[in-house]
């Protein structure tokens, strides 16, 4: 899934909640979190400060041997492995 597909999927998911966000809004949020070529996102900035960035259930981003790493959370692992109740 590339960024365009991620934006489209997020727009569809927000519509399921009853309040659909515009694709431009979703793209700005994704850029703010993950960054762009021109500007680092909030996750990268946190890692650079030596912080662990945790999204409950999804996982945490942290530095491991000076490399950014994602340690998946329980909810993400269960969903991907088909064990969600």
């Amino acid at each position: 899934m590339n960024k365009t597909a991620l934006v489209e999927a997020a727009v569809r998911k927000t519509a399921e909640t009853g309040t659909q966000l515009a694709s431009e809004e979703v793209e700005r949020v994704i850029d703010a979190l993950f960054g762009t070529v021109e500007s680092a996102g909030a996750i990268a900035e946190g890692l650079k400060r030596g912080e662990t960035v945790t999204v409950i259930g999804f996982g945490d981003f942290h530095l491991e041997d000076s490399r950014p790493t994602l340690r998946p959370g329980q909810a993400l692992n269960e969903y991907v492995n088909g064990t969600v109740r």
Side-chain angles (χ1 to χ4, degrees), residues 36-78:
T36 65
V37 173
E38 297 85 20
S39 176
I43 294 170
E45 289 173 345
L47 292 174
K48 189 169 185 173
R49 289 190 302 269
E51 300 172 350
T52 296
V53 179
T54 303
V55 181
I56 302 297
F58 180 80
D60 64 65
F61 296 89
H62 61 279
L63 292 179
E64 192 169 289
D65 298 325
S66 300
R67 290 188 357 251
T69 305
L70 169 65
R71 180 179 24 232
Q74 181 178 353
L76 178 60
N77 275 322
E78 289 176 357

Side-chain angles (χ1 to χ4, degrees), residues 1-24:
M1 178 181 287
N2 64 20
K3 180 180 172 184
T4 300
L6 180 61
V7 169
E8 291 170 0
V11 168
R12 284 192 304 275
K13 293 300 280 184
T14 63
E16 292 174 10
T17 67
T19 307
Q20 182 174 348
L21 297 175
S23 59
E24 295 82 12

